[in-house]
Amino acid sequence: MNTLVVGFVIVFMALCVIGCTELKKDLPPTGGTLAVHRSGWTDSTSSNFHGTAIRNANWDMMSCQTCHGSKYDGGIVNVSCRTCHNQSAGPEHCTTCHGSSNNAAPPRDIDGNISTTFRGVGAHQKHLIGGSISDGVACSECHSVPPSVYTPGHVDSPLPAEVPMEGYVATTVSNESTTVDWDSSLAVFTPLPSYSPVSATCSNTYCHGNFKNGNTSFAPVWNDATGTQAACGTCHGDTSRATLAERARPKTAAEGGTHPSSTACSACHGDVVNASLSFVNKSKHINGKLNVFGQERDF
Ligand code: HEC
Ligand code: HEC
Ligand code: HEC
Ligand code: HEC
Ligand code: HEC
Ligand code: HEC
């Protein structure tokens, strides 16, 4: 009799345990109490860090949406990514994996580098923010810019980043003429800008001199941070000459070009520079347009 009762109790308890286990398996994990992730998941110094896991999965974080929600704002586990990734697009925001609060361009680069001597960082901010000689250029001058993280061509290809340089300024065409006459063109400079990830140099860009009377063979090094590559005379003119105006002056007849030999630059380019060759309107310099005699035009 007693044996029978004990037997029933054992069977009942066993059923209960199996049942409860099955029930638990079906339940979504409860936030905070159940460790669904490995230890170190939120510690950026750990090899188990969630950012590293996403990186190792070819940047795929869409699997996280199953539990954390399609907008990463909690989902069935009610644990939001946005408590930490608080920008508008959450963890898919453009500065999650590269860039800073200034913009999405490095620094920092994909590997976390900050110094401009790293090719992933290079002269990005010099180009974007501009300085004394220009207002800078947009990302789209050098890259095709993805509207979202999973746009084809973005995270699906291995480093180095693609730098096709297909923007308006980078590909500006200028015509060569024997006289100062807009229409009598003899040769056409069609920049075919290219970036070499081997030497980290840019060649044939309009911006750096591949235009009429410019220094067509100048190939600046992307991660040379010495600042010498944007001196007067690098893109047009000759850095070895004595005065600033002589250094900046494009090729004249004496050098096989067609530019006037006068060094009174502001007399004809007064919209851009003043008599001491400071820029009065740097937005008109390196903008793909020629500013001369008070006009802005193609050349
Ligand atoms: C507790 C705070 C916190 C939460 C919650 C959080 N993250 Fe992060 N995440 C971080 C930190 C910190 C970094 C590293 C930032 C850095 O390196 O500067 C990071 C980095 C990342 C990176 C960049 C990886 C890389 O190598 O560049 C991705 C992608 C990412 N998180 C996705 C997510 C997703 C998706 C979620 C939600 C499912 C999430 N994070 C939730 C704090 C958090
Ligand atoms: C099976 C469901 C599930 C999936 C899939 C999932 N998580 Fe979680 N995650 C949870 C739960 C539950 C918690 C809370 C309990 C815990 O911390 O373990 C959590 C917690 C976190 C936390 C800590 C949040 C905090 O504020 O401390 C981060 C960060 C995180 N997840 C990131 C991710 C990332 C990144 C992915 C995708 C690679 C991902 N999770 C996929 C269920 C999931
Ligand atoms: C999940 C991480 C991640 C996020 C978020 C992210 N990127 Fe990227 N991005 C990368 C990686 C990795 C590369 C390098 C890809 C390669 O090698 O071509 C890259 C490269 C780029 C490049 C260089 C051109 C290229 O495709 O190689 C641009 C421009 C860029 N990202 C813009 C953006 C913009 C804009 C956003 C927001 C819409 C964004 N990124 C969000 C990881 C990310
Ligand atoms: C003047 C041209 C230029 C402009 C403008 C530019 N980039 Fe780049 N970008 C490059 C070059 C060159 C590389 C380096 C390729 C290599 O690794 O050799 C690069 C690499 C990158 C990388 C990959 C970094 C890594 O870790 O390797 C990202 C991400 C990126 N750019 C994003 C951007 C974004 C976002 C913008 C605009 C906010 C931008 N870039 C503007 C030329 C440019
Ligand atoms: C990074 C390359 C680069 C450097 C460095 C550079 N220029 Fe230019 N410059 C150009 C380009 C490209 C043009 C062609 C017209 C345009 O797009 O603005 C130009 C045109 C000019 C013009 C004609 C007016 C116009 O249309 O812009 C003047 C004047 C001029 N530059 C002065 C200078 C002076 C002075 C310096 C040194 C302080 C200098 N440049 C350094 C690239 C450069
Ligand atoms: C007498 C007027 C005059 C003076 C002075 C002058 N320029 Fe020009 N510049 C022009 C004209 C005209 C063009 C357009 C030539 C063409 O396309 O036919 C031009 C074009 C340019 C270009 C584009 C390349 C080219 O040759 O087409 C640059 C760069 C430039 N000038 C810089 C300078 C600088 C720097 C100085 C001072 C050293 C200067 N210019 C002085 C009239 C002048």
Side-chain angles (χ1 to χ4, degrees):
M1 181 73 162
N2 273 354
T3 328
L4 196 65
V5 170
V6 170
F8 269 130
V9 168
I10 288 169
V11 169
F12 180 78
M13 279 173 70
L15 280 173
C16 185
V17 167
I18 291 163
C20 292
T21 311
E22 266 169 14
L23 198 65
K24 253 188 187 160
K25 250 198 317 198
D26 290 347
L27 271 178
T30 43
T33 50
L34 198 74
V36 289
H37 297 302
R38 289 168 294 177
S39 67
W41 192 241
T42 53
D43 173 4
S44 60
T45 62
S46 164
S47 57
N48 287 338
F49 183 57
H50 70 276
T52 312
I54 292 170
R55 174 183 293 252
N56 292 342
N58 292 326
W59 303 102
D60 184 2
M61 60 180 127
M62 283 175 299
S63 66
C64 319
Q65 295 176 3
T66 335
C67 295
H68 291 279
S70 60
K71 301 247 182 297
Y72 307 95
D73 54 359
I76 54 164
V77 295
N78 200 23
V79 177
S80 174
C81 310
R82 290 172 179 267
T83 47
C84 303
H85 296 279
N86 55 9
Q87 304 93 335
S88 51
E92 290 192 9
H93 196 81
C94 301
T95 58
T96 300
C97 310
H98 49 75
S100 66
S101 56
N102 294 334
N103 51 50
R108 62 188 203 291
D109 72 7
I110 301 294
D111 294 326
N113 297 312
I114 301 295
S115 165
T116 53
T117 54
F118 286 97
R119 62 170 49 213
V121 179
H124 268 112
Q125 298 306 321
K126 283 270 186 212
H127 282 84
L128 293 165
I129 291 170
S132 57
I133 68 167
S134 92
D135 274 355
V137 298
C139 313
S140 55
E141 286 295 339
C142 303
H143 298 295
S144 95
V145 181
S148 70
V149 189
Y150 298 114
T151 301
H154 181 215
V155 293
D156 54 9
S157 61
L159 287 170
E162 292 78 21
V163 189
M165 290 189 285
E166 291 168 341
Y168 172 77
V169 183
T171 58
T172 299
V173 173
S174 67
N175 297 314
E176 178 68 283
S177 60
T178 45
T179 59
V180 185
D181 173 353
W182 316 101
D183 302 317
S184 63
S185 46
L186 291 179
V188 179
F189 287 101
T190 308
L192 290 171
S194 65
Y195 173 73
S196 162
V198 178
S199 57
T201 51
C202 296
S203 310
N204 296 334
T205 61
Y206 167 83
C207 307
H208 284 281
N210 194 14
F211 55 81
K212 177 183 170 181
N213 300 328
N215 299 341
T216 53
S217 60
F218 180 43
V221 182
W222 175 244
N223 57 345
D224 174 345
T226 56
T228 52
Q229 299 184 98
C232 257
T234 50
C235 306
H236 51 82
D238 182 343
T239 51
S240 69
R241 291 191 202 130
T243 66
L244 187 59
E246 285 167 354
R247 289 201 287 276
R249 188 180 56 201
K251 288 187 173 62
T252 62
E255 295 133 7
T258 58
H259 190 271
S261 59
S262 165
T263 49
C265 315
S266 62
C268 304
H269 301 291
D271 287 359
V272 181
V273 288
N274 64 18
S276 54
L277 283 191
S278 291
F279 286 87
V280 293
N281 190 342
K282 59 192 172 81
S283 75
K284 292 184 172 175
H285 188 222
I286 321 180
N287 63 345
K289 298 282 182 190
L290 190 58
N291 291 87
V292 64
F293 309 137
Q295 287 176 299
E296 179 159 275
R297 54 182 307 167
D298 297 334
F299 70 115

Short mmCIF file of all heavy atoms in Angstrom, two decimals, residues 56-104:
data_model
loop_
_atom_site.label_atom_id
_atom_site.label_comp_id
_atom_site.label_asym_id
_atom_site.label_seq_id
_atom_site.Cartn_x
_atom_site.Cartn_y
_atom_site.Cartn_z
N ASN A 56 32.77 39.41 -35.90
CA ASN A 56 33.17 38.08 -36.37
C ASN A 56 32.07 37.40 -37.18
O ASN A 56 32.33 36.41 -37.87
CB ASN A 56 33.57 37.19 -35.18
CG ASN A 56 34.86 37.67 -34.54
OD1 ASN A 56 35.61 38.43 -35.15
ND2 ASN A 56 35.11 37.27 -33.30
N ALA A 57 30.85 37.91 -37.07
CA ALA A 57 29.74 37.36 -37.86
C ALA A 57 29.52 38.23 -39.11
O ALA A 57 28.38 38.43 -39.56
CB ALA A 57 28.48 37.29 -37.02
N ASN A 58 30.60 38.78 -39.66
CA ASN A 58 30.52 39.67 -40.84
C ASN A 58 29.55 40.81 -40.63
O ASN A 58 28.81 41.18 -41.53
CB ASN A 58 30.14 38.87 -42.10
CG ASN A 58 31.25 37.93 -42.51
OD1 ASN A 58 32.42 38.27 -42.33
ND2 ASN A 58 30.90 36.77 -43.00
N TRP A 59 29.53 41.34 -39.42
CA TRP A 59 28.77 42.53 -39.06
C TRP A 59 27.26 42.29 -39.05
O TRP A 59 26.47 43.24 -39.12
CB TRP A 59 29.11 43.71 -39.99
CG TRP A 59 30.56 44.02 -39.97
CD1 TRP A 59 31.49 43.68 -40.91
CD2 TRP A 59 31.29 44.69 -38.92
NE1 TRP A 59 32.74 44.09 -40.53
CE2 TRP A 59 32.65 44.72 -39.32
CE3 TRP A 59 30.94 45.26 -37.71
CZ2 TRP A 59 33.65 45.30 -38.54
CZ3 TRP A 59 31.93 45.85 -36.93
CH2 TRP A 59 33.27 45.86 -37.35
N ASP A 60 26.86 41.02 -38.96
CA ASP A 60 25.42 40.74 -38.95
C ASP A 60 24.87 40.86 -37.53
O ASP A 60 25.23 40.09 -36.65
CB ASP A 60 25.17 39.33 -39.49
CG ASP A 60 23.69 39.02 -39.60
OD1 ASP A 60 22.88 39.92 -39.29
OD2 ASP A 60 23.35 37.90 -39.99
N MET A 61 24.01 41.82 -37.32
CA MET A 61 23.35 41.94 -36.01
C MET A 61 21.83 41.76 -36.15
O MET A 61 21.06 42.05 -35.24
CB MET A 61 23.70 43.25 -35.32
CG MET A 61 23.31 44.50 -36.06
SD MET A 61 23.80 45.98 -35.15
CE MET A 61 24.71 46.86 -36.40
N MET A 62 21.41 41.27 -37.33
CA MET A 62 19.97 41.10 -37.51
C MET A 62 19.42 39.96 -36.66
O MET A 62 18.26 39.98 -36.27
CB MET A 62 19.65 40.92 -38.98
CG MET A 62 19.73 42.28 -39.67
SD MET A 62 19.55 42.32 -41.45
CE MET A 62 20.84 41.37 -42.07
N SER A 63 20.31 38.98 -36.33
CA SER A 63 19.87 37.87 -35.47
C SER A 63 19.47 38.37 -34.08
O SER A 63 18.66 37.75 -33.40
CB SER A 63 20.99 36.84 -35.35
OG SER A 63 22.09 37.40 -34.67
N CYS A 64 20.04 39.48 -33.67
CA CYS A 64 19.73 40.03 -32.34
C CYS A 64 18.29 40.51 -32.27
O CYS A 64 17.69 40.56 -31.19
CB CYS A 64 20.65 41.20 -31.99
SG CYS A 64 22.39 40.97 -32.45
N GLN A 65 17.72 40.84 -33.43
CA GLN A 65 16.36 41.40 -33.46
C GLN A 65 15.31 40.40 -32.98
O GLN A 65 14.28 40.81 -32.46
CB GLN A 65 16.01 41.87 -34.87
CG GLN A 65 16.87 43.01 -35.37
CD GLN A 65 16.56 43.40 -36.82
OE1 GLN A 65 15.64 42.84 -37.43
NE2 GLN A 65 17.31 44.34 -37.35
N THR A 66 15.57 39.10 -33.16
CA THR A 66 14.61 38.07 -32.74
C THR A 66 14.18 38.30 -31.29
O THR A 66 13.00 38.19 -30.96
CB THR A 66 15.26 36.67 -32.82
OG1 THR A 66 16.30 36.69 -33.76
CG2 THR A 66 14.23 35.61 -33.13
N CYS A 67 15.14 38.58 -30.45
CA CYS A 67 14.82 38.77 -29.03
C CYS A 67 14.74 40.25 -28.65
O CYS A 67 13.89 40.65 -27.86
CB CYS A 67 15.86 38.08 -28.16
SG CYS A 67 15.86 36.28 -28.35
N HIS A 68 15.65 41.06 -29.21
CA HIS A 68 15.75 42.46 -28.77
C HIS A 68 14.85 43.41 -29.57
O HIS A 68 14.86 44.61 -29.32
CB HIS A 68 17.20 42.93 -28.82
CG HIS A 68 18.08 42.28 -27.79
ND1 HIS A 68 18.14 42.69 -26.47
CD2 HIS A 68 18.92 41.21 -27.87
CE1 HIS A 68 18.99 41.93 -25.80
NE2 HIS A 68 19.48 41.02 -26.63
N GLY A 69 14.09 42.87 -30.53
CA GLY A 69 13.13 43.69 -31.27
C GLY A 69 13.67 44.20 -32.59
O GLY A 69 14.89 44.40 -32.74
N SER A 70 12.78 44.41 -33.57
CA SER A 70 13.22 44.83 -34.90
C SER A 70 13.82 46.24 -34.88
O SER A 70 14.59 46.60 -35.76
CB SER A 70 12.05 44.77 -35.89
OG SER A 70 11.02 45.63 -35.44
N LYS A 71 13.49 47.02 -33.86
CA LYS A 71 14.11 48.34 -33.73
C LYS A 71 15.13 48.36 -32.59
O LYS A 71 15.53 49.42 -32.13
CB LYS A 71 13.03 49.40 -33.48
CG LYS A 71 11.97 49.51 -34.57
CD LYS A 71 12.08 50.86 -35.27
CE LYS A 71 11.03 51.07 -36.34
NZ LYS A 71 11.14 50.10 -37.45
N TYR A 72 15.50 47.18 -32.12
CA TYR A 72 16.47 47.02 -31.04
C TYR A 72 16.03 47.74 -29.76
O TYR A 72 16.84 48.19 -28.97
CB TYR A 72 17.86 47.56 -31.45
CG TYR A 72 18.39 47.00 -32.75
CD1 TYR A 72 18.21 47.69 -33.94
CD2 TYR A 72 19.08 45.80 -32.78
CE1 TYR A 72 18.70 47.19 -35.14
CE2 TYR A 72 19.58 45.28 -33.97
CZ TYR A 72 19.39 45.99 -35.15
OH TYR A 72 19.90 45.49 -36.32
N ASP A 73 14.71 47.87 -29.60
CA ASP A 73 14.24 48.67 -28.46
C ASP A 73 13.63 47.83 -27.33
O ASP A 73 12.90 48.34 -26.49
CB ASP A 73 13.24 49.74 -28.93
CG ASP A 73 12.10 49.14 -29.73
OD1 ASP A 73 12.08 47.90 -29.93
OD2 ASP A 73 11.22 49.91 -30.16
N GLY A 74 13.91 46.53 -27.32
CA GLY A 74 13.44 45.69 -26.20
C GLY A 74 12.97 44.34 -26.64
O GLY A 74 13.45 43.31 -26.15
N GLY A 75 12.01 44.31 -27.57
CA GLY A 75 11.50 43.05 -28.09
C GLY A 75 10.91 42.16 -27.02
O GLY A 75 10.51 42.64 -25.95
N ILE A 76 10.89 40.84 -27.27
CA ILE A 76 10.25 39.91 -26.34
C ILE A 76 11.00 39.78 -25.03
O ILE A 76 10.44 39.37 -24.02
CB ILE A 76 10.09 38.48 -26.96
CG1 ILE A 76 11.43 37.97 -27.49
CG2 ILE A 76 9.03 38.47 -28.06
CD1 ILE A 76 11.42 36.46 -27.74
N VAL A 77 12.29 40.14 -25.00
CA VAL A 77 13.04 40.01 -23.74
C VAL A 77 13.05 41.33 -22.96
O VAL A 77 13.52 41.39 -21.83
CB VAL A 77 14.50 39.52 -23.97
CG1 VAL A 77 14.48 38.10 -24.53
CG2 VAL A 77 15.27 40.44 -24.88
N ASN A 78 12.48 42.36 -23.59
CA ASN A 78 12.38 43.66 -22.94
C ASN A 78 13.74 44.17 -22.46
O ASN A 78 13.86 44.77 -21.39
CB ASN A 78 11.37 43.58 -21.77
CG ASN A 78 10.88 44.97 -21.40
OD1 ASN A 78 10.92 45.89 -22.23
ND2 ASN A 78 10.44 45.14 -20.16
N VAL A 79 14.79 43.92 -23.26
CA VAL A 79 16.12 44.47 -22.97
C VAL A 79 16.53 45.26 -24.22
O VAL A 79 16.72 44.68 -25.28
CB VAL A 79 17.16 43.36 -22.67
CG1 VAL A 79 18.54 43.96 -22.44
CG2 VAL A 79 16.74 42.55 -21.45
N SER A 80 16.63 46.55 -24.08
CA SER A 80 16.86 47.41 -25.24
C SER A 80 18.34 47.67 -25.48
O SER A 80 19.11 47.89 -24.54
CB SER A 80 16.15 48.75 -25.03
OG SER A 80 16.47 49.64 -26.07
N CYS A 81 18.75 47.65 -26.77
CA CYS A 81 20.12 48.04 -27.12
C CYS A 81 20.27 49.56 -26.98
O CYS A 81 21.38 50.08 -26.86
CB CYS A 81 20.44 47.68 -28.57
SG CYS A 81 20.07 45.99 -29.06
N ARG A 82 19.14 50.24 -27.03
CA ARG A 82 19.17 51.70 -27.09
C ARG A 82 19.49 52.38 -25.76
O ARG A 82 19.70 53.60 -25.74
CB ARG A 82 17.84 52.22 -27.65
CG ARG A 82 17.69 51.90 -29.13
CD ARG A 82 16.30 52.23 -29.64
NE ARG A 82 16.18 51.94 -31.06
CZ ARG A 82 16.40 52.84 -32.02
NH1 ARG A 82 16.72 54.07 -31.72
NH2 ARG A 82 16.27 52.49 -33.30
N THR A 83 19.52 51.61 -24.68
CA THR A 83 19.95 52.22 -23.42
C THR A 83 21.40 52.69 -23.58
O THR A 83 21.79 53.71 -23.02
CB THR A 83 19.86 51.22 -22.25
OG1 THR A 83 20.44 49.99 -22.65
CG2 THR A 83 18.42 50.99 -21.81
N CYS A 84 22.19 51.93 -24.34
CA CYS A 84 23.59 52.33 -24.59
C CYS A 84 23.75 52.97 -25.97
O CYS A 84 24.37 54.02 -26.10
CB CYS A 84 24.51 51.13 -24.49
SG CYS A 84 24.42 50.29 -22.91
N HIS A 85 23.18 52.33 -27.01
CA HIS A 85 23.29 52.88 -28.38
C HIS A 85 22.13 53.85 -28.58
O HIS A 85 21.12 53.52 -29.20
CB HIS A 85 23.25 51.75 -29.40
CG HIS A 85 24.41 50.81 -29.29
ND1 HIS A 85 25.64 51.09 -29.82
CD2 HIS A 85 24.53 49.61 -28.67
CE1 HIS A 85 26.48 50.08 -29.55
NE2 HIS A 85 25.83 49.19 -28.86
N ASN A 86 22.26 55.04 -28.03
CA ASN A 86 21.10 55.94 -27.95
C ASN A 86 20.95 56.91 -29.12
O ASN A 86 20.16 57.85 -29.06
CB ASN A 86 21.14 56.70 -26.61
CG ASN A 86 22.45 57.43 -26.41
OD1 ASN A 86 23.26 57.49 -27.34
ND2 ASN A 86 22.68 57.96 -25.23
N GLN A 87 21.69 56.66 -30.25
CA GLN A 87 21.49 57.51 -31.43
C GLN A 87 20.22 57.06 -32.16
O GLN A 87 19.70 55.99 -31.89
CB GLN A 87 22.69 57.40 -32.39
CG GLN A 87 24.03 57.74 -31.77
CD GLN A 87 24.75 56.51 -31.24
OE1 GLN A 87 24.12 55.51 -30.90
NE2 GLN A 87 26.06 56.59 -31.17
N SER A 88 19.80 57.89 -33.14
CA SER A 88 18.51 57.68 -33.79
C SER A 88 18.32 56.27 -34.36
O SER A 88 17.25 55.68 -34.21
CB SER A 88 18.31 58.72 -34.90
OG SER A 88 19.45 58.74 -35.75
N ALA A 89 19.33 55.70 -35.00
CA ALA A 89 19.17 54.37 -35.59
C ALA A 89 19.64 53.26 -34.65
O ALA A 89 19.84 52.12 -35.08
CB ALA A 89 19.92 54.30 -36.92
N GLY A 90 19.83 53.59 -33.37
CA GLY A 90 20.28 52.58 -32.41
C GLY A 90 21.64 52.03 -32.81
O GLY A 90 22.49 52.77 -33.32
N PRO A 91 21.86 50.70 -32.65
CA PRO A 91 23.18 50.14 -33.00
C PRO A 91 23.50 50.20 -34.49
O PRO A 91 24.65 50.06 -34.86
CB PRO A 91 23.09 48.70 -32.50
CG PRO A 91 21.66 48.42 -32.28
CD PRO A 91 20.98 49.72 -32.01
N GLU A 92 22.48 50.43 -35.35
CA GLU A 92 22.77 50.57 -36.79
C GLU A 92 23.18 51.99 -37.16
O GLU A 92 23.36 52.32 -38.33
CB GLU A 92 21.54 50.13 -37.62
CG GLU A 92 21.30 48.63 -37.54
CD GLU A 92 20.30 48.12 -38.56
OE1 GLU A 92 19.90 48.89 -39.46
OE2 GLU A 92 19.92 46.94 -38.45
N HIS A 93 23.32 52.85 -36.20
CA HIS A 93 23.72 54.23 -36.48
C HIS A 93 25.10 54.25 -37.15
O HIS A 93 25.94 53.41 -36.87
CB HIS A 93 23.75 55.03 -35.17
CG HIS A 93 23.79 56.51 -35.39
ND1 HIS A 93 22.66 57.23 -35.67
CD2 HIS A 93 24.82 57.39 -35.41
CE1 HIS A 93 22.99 58.50 -35.83
NE2 HIS A 93 24.29 58.62 -35.69
N CYS A 94 25.30 55.25 -38.01
CA CYS A 94 26.53 55.29 -38.82
C CYS A 94 27.81 55.41 -38.00
O CYS A 94 28.88 55.12 -38.51
CB CYS A 94 26.47 56.44 -39.83
SG CYS A 94 25.09 56.30 -40.95
N THR A 95 27.74 55.85 -36.76
CA THR A 95 28.99 55.99 -35.99
C THR A 95 29.20 54.84 -35.00
O THR A 95 30.11 54.90 -34.19
CB THR A 95 29.03 57.34 -35.23
OG1 THR A 95 27.89 57.39 -34.36
CG2 THR A 95 29.01 58.52 -36.17
N THR A 96 28.38 53.79 -35.08
CA THR A 96 28.58 52.65 -34.15
C THR A 96 29.91 51.96 -34.42
O THR A 96 30.63 51.61 -33.49
CB THR A 96 27.45 51.62 -34.28
OG1 THR A 96 26.21 52.26 -33.97
CG2 THR A 96 27.65 50.45 -33.32
N CYS A 97 30.27 51.76 -35.69
CA CYS A 97 31.45 50.96 -36.01
C CYS A 97 32.64 51.80 -36.49
O CYS A 97 33.77 51.30 -36.51
CB CYS A 97 31.11 49.92 -37.07
SG CYS A 97 29.64 48.96 -36.70
N HIS A 98 32.41 53.02 -36.94
CA HIS A 98 33.51 53.90 -37.38
C HIS A 98 33.10 55.34 -37.21
O HIS A 98 31.92 55.66 -37.21
CB HIS A 98 33.93 53.61 -38.83
CG HIS A 98 32.78 53.54 -39.81
ND1 HIS A 98 32.12 54.66 -40.27
CD2 HIS A 98 32.19 52.49 -40.42
CE1 HIS A 98 31.18 54.31 -41.13
NE2 HIS A 98 31.18 52.99 -41.23
N GLY A 99 34.10 56.24 -37.07
CA GLY A 99 33.80 57.65 -36.93
C GLY A 99 33.64 58.06 -35.48
O GLY A 99 33.95 57.32 -34.56
N SER A 100 33.14 59.30 -35.32
CA SER A 100 33.01 59.87 -33.98
C SER A 100 31.78 60.76 -33.97
O SER A 100 31.04 60.81 -34.94
CB SER A 100 34.24 60.72 -33.67
OG SER A 100 34.26 61.85 -34.53
N SER A 101 31.60 61.50 -32.90
CA SER A 101 30.44 62.39 -32.84
C SER A 101 30.54 63.52 -33.88
O SER A 101 29.56 64.18 -34.19
CB SER A 101 30.27 62.95 -31.44
OG SER A 101 31.45 63.59 -31.04
N ASN A 102 31.75 63.76 -34.45
CA ASN A 102 31.89 64.78 -35.49
C ASN A 102 31.21 64.36 -36.79
O ASN A 102 30.45 65.10 -37.39
CB ASN A 102 33.36 65.06 -35.80
CG ASN A 102 34.07 65.68 -34.62
OD1 ASN A 102 33.44 66.34 -33.80
ND2 ASN A 102 35.36 65.46 -34.53
N ASN A 103 31.52 63.13 -37.24
CA ASN A 103 30.93 62.57 -38.46
C ASN A 103 31.26 61.07 -38.49
O ASN A 103 31.97 60.58 -37.62
CB ASN A 103 31.43 63.31 -39.73
CG ASN A 103 32.94 63.41 -39.77
OD1 ASN A 103 33.64 62.41 -39.60
ND2 ASN A 103 33.46 64.61 -39.99
N ALA A 104 30.76 60.40 -39.53
CA ALA A 104 30.92 58.93 -39.58
C ALA A 104 32.27 58.51 -40.14
O ALA A 104 32.57 57.32 -40.21
CB ALA A 104 29.80 58.32 -40.43
#
